[in-house]
């Protein structure tokens, strides 16, 4: 079974993100970049399927400029067999990413596609679902457990009311939640080996996909700082402030 796993280059989750002074975008100068945490979980799950003998090949794919090859190489160091970069110089929105991934799916014909449920930059939670619609494949989103059995994959997914189990006929799409697994660290020998693994580069034109944008970014600004709290003497003072100052009760 061939598994395709998507990875995205994002600002490392430990970094405090800052907006540029002119408000045009996020300041990325000298900022550490990493694989999106949910994508890292997706890579780990694909590698575990391979280690269990369920998957025969794991392919890591990323959409972005040349710098995203760093994250593809990281996925290769974590255990993926080869990488694919779809090179785009401009930012791409979820629908375009889904169309590009659909073209890669058509080209590679994987039995299972694993994506992070969302990225920590755009936070859209759309690409996996859009890919499922475009590729006409069943999808198990927010997966906390994945089990492949024959020509089906059973996904336990987290929903508001608890846990839901869905059975999908392969080929299928799975998007990963935080509790699916704990990603491993890449060892130095595997990092060195990853440099020699195959990495193919395509353009949207190669995949016959037009990169168009339907969204315009107007401004980026930091959220307003929270005001310091105060201590009240008793319930009467609390009610008075909620009524007359905060005006949230009448």
């Amino acid at each position: 079974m061939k598994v395709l796993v998507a990875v995205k280059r994002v600002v490392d989750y430990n970094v405090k993100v800052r907006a540029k002074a002119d408000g045009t975008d996020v300041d990325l100068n000298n900022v550490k970049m990493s694989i999106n945490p949910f994508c890292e979980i997706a890579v780990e799950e694909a590698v575990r399927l391979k280690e269990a003998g369920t998957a025969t090949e794991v392919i890591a794919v990323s959409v972005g400029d040349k710098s995203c090859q760093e994250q593809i190489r990281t996925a290769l160091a974590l255990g993926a067999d080869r990488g694919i970069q779809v090179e785009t110089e401009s930012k791409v929105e979820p629908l375009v990413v889904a169309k590009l991934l659909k073209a890669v799916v058509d080209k590679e014909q994987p039995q299972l596609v694993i994506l992070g449920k969302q990225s920590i930059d755009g936070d859209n939670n759309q690409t996996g679902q859009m890919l499922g619609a475009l590729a006409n494949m069943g999808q198990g989103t927010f997966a906390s457990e994945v089990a492949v059995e024959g020509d089906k994959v059973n996904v336990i997914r987290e929903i508001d009311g608890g846990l839901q189990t869905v059975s999908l006929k392969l080929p299928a799409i799975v998007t990963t939640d935080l509790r699916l697994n704990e990603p491993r660290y890449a060892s130095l020998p595997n990092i060195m080996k990853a440099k020699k693994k195959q990495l193919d580069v395509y353009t949207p034109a190669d995949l016959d996909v037009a990169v168009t944008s339907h969204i315009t970014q107007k401004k980026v600004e930091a959220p307003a700082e929270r005001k310091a709290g105060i201590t009240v003497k008793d319930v009467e003072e609390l009610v008075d402030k909620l009524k007359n100052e905060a005006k949230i009760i009448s």
Side-chain angles (χ1 to χ4, degrees):
M1 183 177 78
K2 184 187 292 187
V3 179
L4 185 74
V5 58
V7 296
K8 184 177 182 182
R9 177 182 173 88
V10 299
V11 175
D12 188 89
Y13 70 93
N14 287 309
V15 173
K16 184 176 181 181
V17 178
R18 301 179 187 278
K20 290 183 177 179
D22 60 4
T24 56
D25 209 340
V26 172
D27 189 356
L28 298 180
N29 288 330
N30 302 314
V31 170
K32 181 183 178 184
M33 307 295 286
S34 301
I35 294 179
N36 176 54
F38 290 103
C39 299
E40 200 170 15
I41 292 170
V43 173
E44 176 66 25
E45 193 64 21
V47 172
R48 290 188 184 188
L49 288 172
K50 184 185 174 186
E51 291 174 342
T54 303
T56 54
E57 184 181 27
V58 175
I59 306 166
V61 57
S62 187
V63 177
D65 60 24
K66 191 173 181 178
S67 60
C68 76
Q69 289 188 14
E70 178 185 351
Q71 280 60 52
I72 297 174
R73 292 292 181 193
T74 300
L76 295 176
L78 292 171
D81 298 292
R82 59 188 174 95
I84 295 175
Q85 179 204 359
V86 181
E87 189 169 10
T88 61
E89 293 302 325
S90 58
K91 285 186 177 181
V92 285
E93 59 195 49
L95 180 58
V96 174
V97 175
K99 288 180 178 179
L100 292 169
L101 290 177
K102 196 265 184 182
V104 175
V105 167
D106 291 343
K107 191 177 187 69
E108 294 290 339
Q109 294 294 307
Q111 284 70 53
L112 185 62
V113 183
I114 309 180
L115 308 89
K117 72 170 185 177
Q118 64 195 77
S119 61
I120 61 173
D121 52 2
D123 217 29
N124 292 303
N125 179 22
Q126 294 176 338
T127 303
Q129 293 87 329
M130 288 177 171
L131 177 59
L134 292 170
N136 195 27
M137 295 165 65
Q139 55 183 283
T141 56
F142 318 129
S144 60
E145 188 175 325
V146 175
V148 177
E149 298 177 0
D151 64 345
K152 292 184 178 180
V153 56
N154 295 321
V155 178
I156 297 178
R157 57 190 304 268
E158 299 186 0
I159 59 175
D160 290 341
L163 299 176
Q164 178 188 57
T165 301
V166 294
S167 182
L168 309 171
K169 187 175 181 180
L170 297 174
I173 294 169
V174 171
T175 71
T176 60
D177 214 330
L178 280 174
R179 282 156 289 281
L180 178 59
N181 60 52
E182 185 174 342
R184 68 193 70 189
Y185 291 99
S187 65
L188 183 58
N190 286 337
I191 292 173
M192 301 306 293
K193 290 177 183 177
K195 295 180 180 180
K196 297 181 180 180
K197 289 186 178 181
Q198 180 181 346
L199 198 166
D200 300 316
V201 179
Y202 300 107
T203 65
D206 295 332
L207 301 173
D208 198 25
V209 175
V211 176
T212 55
S213 179
H214 305 87
I215 300 171
T216 301
Q217 182 170 288
K218 294 291 189 181
K219 188 177 182 182
V220 176
E221 59 185 354
E225 292 187 8
R226 295 180 63 181
K227 294 181 180 179
I230 61 172
T231 302
V232 295
K233 294 182 297 183
D234 49 35
V235 174
E236 290 183 0
E237 185 181 355
L238 173 61
V239 172
D240 178 68
K241 289 187 177 296
L242 292 176
K243 182 178 181 180
N244 299 314
E245 293 184 18
K247 299 186 184 301
I248 59 175
I249 62 173
S250 57

